[in-house]
Amino acid sequence: MPDVRNPGPEYLAFWRERHVCTLTTLRPNGTPHVVPVGVTYDPQTWLARVITNKNSRKVAHVLAAGPQGARVAVCQMQGRRWATLEGVATVRTESGQVEDAVRRYAERYERTPAHNPDRVVIEIAVDRALGRG
């Protein structure tokens, strides 16, 4: 298991490559809700970010967990390589946070998403890293 504080260069490089990821949140009944998303990861701050619409189910699940945040996981894979980041998610609505997340997304995915006045950021304070390179 990679060390979240020092996961290694191959692991970090994998998180800079362009891959569709999944985000797993929990529904109110405790069952997992897994959806495809774009994810960016900042290993200096241990923050992963997902940009999304404020009316999405994933946002509702995070908000339903209350102000302490929700346990979530993001995962990506390519062939036998895979990487998962786990942590506590909160929803950020501040324009500066949203703009920063959009910029990071555009860098990783090499495309700028269309303007969306309802965009928010699911910000994940990563406390566990898993994977296999």
Side-chain angles (χ1 to χ4, degrees):
M1 175 170 31
D3 176 358
V4 72
R5 304 289 184 218
N6 187 19
E10 296 85 13
Y11 191 84
L12 295 177
F14 190 39
W15 278 104
R16 287 188 300 272
E17 295 172 12
R18 184 179 176 170
H19 297 286
V20 173
C21 304
T22 60
L23 169 68
T24 302
T25 58
L26 296 178
R27 295 181 182 100
N29 69 3
T31 60
H33 177 254
V34 183
V35 293
V37 294
V39 175
T40 61
Y41 178 52
D42 180 353
Q44 280 73 44
T45 59
W46 305 300
L47 291 175
R49 295 172 179 87
V50 175
I51 57 174
T52 188
N53 190 292
K54 70 180 181 181
N55 299 312
S56 69
R57 295 305 314 151
K58 54 191 163 288
V59 167
H61 296 157
V62 172
L63 293 174
Q68 74 279 5
R71 290 292 305 176
V72 302
V74 289
C75 182
Q76 65 181 14
M77 62 175 287
Q78 180 186 42
R80 297 178 59 110
R81 292 189 310 160
W82 63 275
T84 298
L85 301 171
E86 297 179 10
V88 176
T90 54
V91 176
R92 304 295 300 262
T93 60
E94 305 91 336
S95 62
Q97 297 295 330
V98 173
E99 291 168 9
D100 180 56
V102 168
R103 180 189 58 76
R104 291 171 187 273
Y105 177 96
E107 286 175 10
R108 181 174 189 197
Y109 291 96
E110 300 174 346
R111 73 172 196 81
T112 300
H115 176 72
N116 178 355
D118 292 332
R119 181 171 288 129
V120 297
V121 180
I122 296 175
E123 190 175 83
I124 304 159
V126 175
D127 57 24
R128 188 170 189 207
L130 306 162
R132 184 172 115 186

